[in-house]
Amino acid sequence: MKLLLVDDETEFLETLLKRMKRRNVDVNGVGSGEKALAWLENNDTDVVILDVRMTGMDGIETLREIKKRHPLVEVIMLTGHASMEAAIEGMEMGAFDYLMKPMDMDDLLYKAEDAFKKKTIHSGKIDKMVQDLG
Amino acid sequence: MNRKTIPLSPYYRSLTRNMVLLVIMISFTPMLLVTVITLDRFSASHHEKVYAHLGELVLKHKQNIDSFLVEKLQNIRFLADTIDFDQCGHQNMIEGHLARLQRAYGPVFVDLGVVNEQGQQVAYTGPFRLEEALYSDADWFKRAIESRYFTSDVFLGLRGAPHFIISARKTCQDQKWIIRATIDFVEFNRLVEKIRIGKTGFAYILNREGRFQTKPIFDFTPDLDIYNRYFSTLERMGKEVEIQERLDSYGVRSIYVSALLKGGDWLLVYKQASSDAFSDLRNAQTIAIVFFLLGGVAIVAMAIWMSGKMVRRIATSDQEKEIMNEQVIETGKLASVGELAAGIAHEINNPVAIMVEEAGWLQDLMEDGAYKSDADIKEFERALDQIRTQGKRCKEITHKLLSFARKTDSRIEDFEVGHLIEELVALSAQRAKYSNVELITRLEPKLPAISASQSELQQVFLNLINNALDAMDKTGGTLEISAKQEEGQIVIDVSDNGPGIPRANLARIFDPFFTTKPVGSGTGLGLSICYGIIHKMGGEITVKSTVDVGTTFGIRVPAKTDEAVENKAVSATDTCN
């Protein structure tokens, strides 16, 4: 399972990365929506954990772009209380789930696992279809 | 709370005054017009009536007197025709004639005499001893001998008492004879004396020399010029009666009614003081004026009472409106605070999330038991530092919010607007950041203080900033807030380069409940509240907007001068009372 953390708060991003890495999760972090898209271009990723409110390109826009360019990549939204609408909007746009900051590490990892499973099933289906067609 | 005891502010006092004046003017104008026109018409018709009455009276008496004189003259003519002048010298015969005359006509004829051509009275009968009297030098004789009939003016004559003579001439034995009778002055005088109206109305007769022919009740010296004018006027105009109103020699306005008597020799004058003649009119006028004044007093009292009552009511409803406005502002404030809170919550959420993560990290480290090595302890310290840093960040945010929330009362105080703007910009910074809006402030240093309620002004700027951020939420942009001093006013511009406001909406933008936001998102009160607040401060708020270029809200509020400080102090003591 390959994770990508996207958050513009560097301190938050780094600590979260450290904690996840300590749990032997294959995870990387970037500080903005643009960087996330750039990363996805070059690196194989299963699940993106995306902050909704970011300066520059915000979470929703990033999500839209990710879903457009990498439809298989699952996205988990991180929101504050105030951006519930954004979270719902995100779900409508195809995000896997959302979590409210501050979140429990275990919850996050469970959700990531679920998302990864969904992705695996999806890609499995697609692979099978490709084989069937091929 | 008893509102009645609260003294009204100068605004309401001037309102009361204007209402009182208006009511009085509207009520008085028709009343005055009606009274004046009625009195004037009444006075004119009354004058006419009085003149007609007096004219009639004088005319009647003129005819009376004239016919009296003519009658007496005819009596004498008759006598003259019947007397046999051969026996003129006979005393007895004259006596007999006088006795007959007096029997027939009363004691009007005082005496009777026969005068020959030389002026020698040849026969006489009467109460005076005038036998053998010589009249050759007397005026009346000279004129009587010239005409067949003659009536003299009143004179004293030989007997030393006023009287006048009626005479007839007769020729007999180539001699001219005059038979003359003296008319009793008292009797004649009574004819005129009885013309009395009111307190001051009386009549008298003048001859062409301006001498009294009767004894006037009120003694005075007649002015010959004036009476000559009457004579000539009456003769020229051919009128029977002439009525004039003028000041008499005592300066009293009087009516003079005159008529010619005795073929134009005498003038019958009736005189009455105008005030007496028009006493009815005066009474009517007095009554009218009394009623007018009473009505006026009633109107004034009513106007004052009604206006006072109405203004009280207006003041009360204004007060209620004020309270309601305050409530609306409070509601609006809650709405804008709600909007702000969304931004703030997220802002607090971020450091809290970091703290939670750091704490989790520490927990992770401890679970591994890795807290003995130097590197681990360093990591511990770093994590704790981070928690402290993020905690401070939270504290700053809550402090900002608190300082905002603390200014909740709408107390008017003097403060510098720049500081308030900085505070609000700081509060909105996070929201602006996420909307990709760059916040720029250009505040002129050392701006003069303004006198306003901090919380209200806060609300104005918060509304304007929130609106601008909402407008640029999708697109991002620049929001510039500038404050400068200009001609004793503080000019604050809040301009964005967002999508702008369509021309159609621009006119309605300050209307209450006008909103372009979807139902449930905006109350439509924000800008109308801003408008209300700024106008209450004596300032103005304007908007300029071009679609796709941006919107600028301009606020002008009066800066505080020293003079204003004094006024403020006065009004402050006013409100304390």
Side-chain angles (χ1 to χ4, degrees):
Chain A
M1 179 174 72
K2 285 192 174 64
L3 291 184
L4 178 65
L5 269 176
V6 188
D7 199 309
D8 61 338
E9 289 271 351
T10 327
E11 293 91 344
F12 180 76
L13 185 68
E14 275 169 7
T15 313
L16 201 56
L17 281 175
K18 270 192 280 189
R19 293 189 68 195
M20 284 189 160
K21 280 183 179 150
R22 205 171 180 94
R23 285 171 172 74
N24 299 317
V25 180
D26 184 0
V27 65
N28 278 292
V30 288
S32 72
E34 290 90 343
K35 280 182 189 155
L37 289 173
W39 175 272
L40 289 176
E41 287 300 320
N42 304 320
N43 301 281
D44 190 16
T45 305
D46 300 312
V47 179
V48 177
I49 298 167
L50 184 63
D51 189 16
V52 170
R53 274 195 107 157
M54 287 188 296
T55 50
M57 201 176 180
D58 73 8
I60 296 297
E61 255 176 277
T62 315
L63 172 65
R64 190 182 292 121
E65 280 304 307
I66 291 173
K67 280 291 165 189
K68 205 157 86 188
R69 298 186 201 173
H70 315 278
L72 278 176
V73 172
E74 290 298 334
V75 178
I76 295 170
M77 315 282 294
L78 289 184
T79 77
H81 275 282
S83 39
M84 276 299 283
E85 292 104 342
I88 291 161
E89 200 184 337
M91 294 294 286
E92 281 166 2
M93 283 168 60
F96 176 75
D97 205 345
Y98 68 90
L99 276 168
M100 247 183 280
K101 272 190 190 176
M103 66 284 177
D104 190 62
M105 175 58 70
D106 296 333
D107 284 349
L108 180 61
L109 289 178
Y110 284 138
K111 286 251 156 65
E113 287 287 348
D114 289 348
F116 175 62
K117 269 180 207 154
K118 189 181 169 195
K119 196 227 168 190
T120 317
I121 294 164
H122 264 199
S123 43
K125 273 183 192 165
I126 288 164
D127 286 347
K128 209 178 145 205
M129 271 165 80
V130 170
Q131 275 171 14
D132 288 351
L133 289 170
Chain B
M1 188 168 73
N2 189 2
R3 287 209 178 95
K4 288 225 159 85
T5 56
I6 301 169
L8 291 172
S9 67
Y11 165 74
Y12 290 114
R13 280 206 295 274
S14 82
L15 187 68
T16 315
R17 199 178 54 233
N18 290 347
M19 274 171 74
V20 168
L21 287 181
L22 191 71
V23 170
I24 287 177
M25 212 177 73
I26 287 174
S27 328
F28 261 99
T29 310
M31 195 164 106
L32 196 69
L33 278 176
V34 167
T35 313
V36 166
I37 290 171
T38 311
L39 276 184
D40 181 62
R41 293 286 87 208
F42 180 64
S43 150
S45 78
H46 191 76
H47 270 79
E48 237 164 72
K49 205 188 100 192
V50 167
Y51 281 176
H53 172 68
L54 291 179
E56 199 59 39
L57 181 92
V58 167
L59 191 63
K60 202 185 90 196
H61 280 90
K62 164 202 150 76
Q63 283 162 359
N64 250 1
I65 293 164
D66 264 342
S67 68
F68 172 86
L69 291 173
V70 167
E71 192 191 309
K72 298 304 160 242
L73 190 58
Q74 270 163 1
N75 294 152
I76 297 304
R77 276 173 67 187
F78 176 74
L79 191 69
D81 285 343
T82 54
I83 283 179
D84 184 358
F85 276 87
D86 292 344
Q87 296 166 9
C88 280
H90 290 278
Q91 196 67 30
N92 289 347
M93 185 210 71
I94 291 267
E95 269 170 30
H97 285 306
L98 181 63
R100 269 206 309 280
L101 280 174
Q102 285 180 339
R103 253 201 322 277
Y105 307 112
V108 179
F109 294 100
V110 177
D111 59 4
L112 199 65
V114 178
V115 181
N116 69 12
E117 210 175 318
Q118 286 73 43
Q120 184 76 44
Q121 184 150 267
V122 292
Y124 174 80
T125 179
F128 306 101
R129 314 268 331 141
L130 292 170
E131 293 91 351
E132 308 295 313
L134 189 65
Y135 290 114
S136 57
D137 287 333
D139 269 347
W140 72 265
F141 174 74
K142 285 174 189 163
R143 293 179 63 187
I145 204 80
E146 297 296 319
S147 52
R148 277 173 65 85
Y149 315 108
F150 175 68
T151 308
S152 79
D153 288 351
V154 174
F155 64 106
L156 290 175
L158 292 173
R159 67 194 71 179
H163 65 288
F164 69 93
I165 288 166
I166 293 175
S167 68
R169 193 188 65 190
K170 194 168 181 189
T171 312
C172 176
Q173 297 169 349
D174 298 330
Q175 263 265 9
K176 285 176 183 158
W177 297 90
I178 288 169
I179 181 157
R180 57 156 275 265
T182 304
I183 302 294
D184 181 16
F185 182 74
V186 177
E187 199 67 28
F188 176 67
N189 207 30
R190 199 168 293 140
L191 282 176
V192 179
E193 225 174 33
K194 69 181 180 196
I195 310 177
R196 292 271 351 228
I197 296 173
K199 289 192 189 99
T200 58
F202 70 103
Y204 51 88
I205 294 173
L206 290 169
N207 68 2
R208 280 189 181 262
E209 280 82 46
R211 252 182 255 120
F212 284 117
Q213 301 303 303
T214 56
K215 191 174 174 298
I217 287 169
F218 305 103
D219 198 29
F220 64 98
T221 317
D223 185 340
L224 194 59
D225 282 351
I226 291 168
Y227 294 103
N228 275 339
R229 244 194 339 265
Y230 287 154
F231 274 110
S232 57
T233 310
L234 281 163
E235 274 163 1
R236 200 175 55 242
M237 309 291 263
K239 281 198 288 187
E240 288 204 276
V241 178
E242 161 77 5
I243 301 174
Q244 249 191 26
E245 207 175 343
R246 62 176 173 84
L247 297 180
D248 69 6
S249 46
Y250 299 106
V252 179
R253 198 166 179 76
S254 308
I255 301 174
Y256 286 84
V257 188
S258 50
L260 289 176
L261 281 178
K262 203 170 151 249
D265 281 347
W266 291 355
L267 186 71
L268 171 65
V269 181
Y270 172 82
K271 182 194 168 194
Q272 189 176 14
S274 300
S275 60
D276 187 32
F278 300 123
S279 63
D280 284 353
L281 179 67
R282 192 59 54 87
N283 284 344
Q285 277 172 339
T286 311
I287 290 170
I289 286 166
V290 164
F291 273 98
F292 181 78
L293 288 179
L294 284 177
V297 168
I299 286 172
V300 169
M302 200 67 187
I304 290 171
W305 183 68
M306 289 273 288
S307 307
K309 207 171 155 176
M310 272 166 83
V311 167
R312 288 274 173 202
R313 215 170 256 185
I314 290 169
T316 311
S317 82
D318 279 357
Q319 219 168 355
E320 277 162 10
K321 208 177 101 192
E322 190 98 337
I323 291 168
M324 211 145 91
N325 269 351
E326 271 162 29
Q327 283 168 348
V328 168
I329 287 173
E330 203 53 41
T331 316
K333 179 163 185 165
L334 285 177
S336 49
V337 167
E339 220 164 311
L340 184 79
I344 302 278
H346 192 87
E347 209 179 338
I348 291 178
N349 225 28
N350 276 333
V352 168
I354 295 169
M355 278 149 74
V356 170
E357 285 316 314
E358 290 290 353
W361 173 238
L362 287 178
Q363 247 174 341
D364 289 352
L365 288 177
M366 282 171 78
E367 272 166 19
D368 292 356
Y371 45 85
K372 296 216 170 62
S373 71
D374 279 357
D376 282 345
I377 287 169
K378 275 225 175 74
E379 187 58 32
F380 260 72
E381 279 169 357
R382 190 207 56 79
L384 287 172
D385 263 353
Q386 187 61 254
I387 290 173
R388 194 178 300 117
T389 310
Q390 297 303 326
K392 274 186 193 155
R393 205 173 134 194
C394 284
K395 194 185 88 182
E396 272 167 35
I397 296 162
T398 49
H399 273 207
K400 272 193 276 182
L401 198 58
L402 276 178
S403 87
F404 175 85
R406 210 176 287 133
K407 291 165 190 159
T408 47
D409 56 349
S410 47
R411 198 154 35 91
I412 307 250
E413 46 198 344
D414 300 343
F415 61 93
E416 211 249 287
V417 79
H419 182 61
L420 185 109
I421 293 173
E422 295 280 14
E423 249 180 35
L424 286 167
V425 166
L427 272 176
S428 307
Q430 194 70 13
R431 223 196 121 200
K433 199 170 100 188
Y434 289 117
S435 302
N436 289 322
V437 173
E438 194 188 351
L439 274 175
I440 303 169
T441 50
R442 279 186 220 281
L443 307 175
E444 209 173 80
K446 290 197 183 130
L447 280 172
I450 59 165
S451 184
S453 148
Q454 289 217 38
S455 85
E456 284 181 0
L457 210 57
Q458 236 175 13
Q459 201 181 339
V460 171
F461 291 122
L462 196 57
N463 267 319
L464 294 181
I465 293 171
N466 277 343
N467 281 349
L469 292 181
D470 285 345
M472 297 188 289
D473 197 25
K474 293 278 175 331
T475 54
T478 333
L479 173 58
E480 187 180 311
I481 303 176
S482 68
K484 58 180 186 280
Q485 190 186 359
E486 211 178 272
E487 295 162 2
Q489 287 186 314
I490 307 278
V491 181
I492 303 152
D493 284 333
V494 180
S495 41
D496 63 53
N497 57 359
I501 303 162
R503 185 174 283 274
N505 293 345
L506 214 51
R508 300 171 57 200
I509 200 154
F510 292 114
D511 292 354
F513 306 111
F514 175 76
T515 179
T516 54
K517 291 177 185 170
V519 177
S521 306
T523 56
L525 285 174
L527 283 175
S528 85
I529 289 169
C530 291
Y531 187 86
I533 290 170
I534 296 297
H535 271 250
K536 201 170 76 178
M537 287 167 58
E540 54 182 298
I541 179 166
T542 52
V543 59
K544 271 183 285 191
S545 185
T546 314
V547 173
D548 292 334
V549 173
T551 306
T552 301
F553 281 91
I555 293 173
R556 281 171 171 273
V557 284
K560 224 164 146 50
T561 56
D562 291 343
E563 194 186 336
V565 172
E566 275 169 36
N567 287 345
K568 176 84 186 309
V570 170
S571 70
T573 51
D574 264 3
T575 47
C576 284
N577 286 339

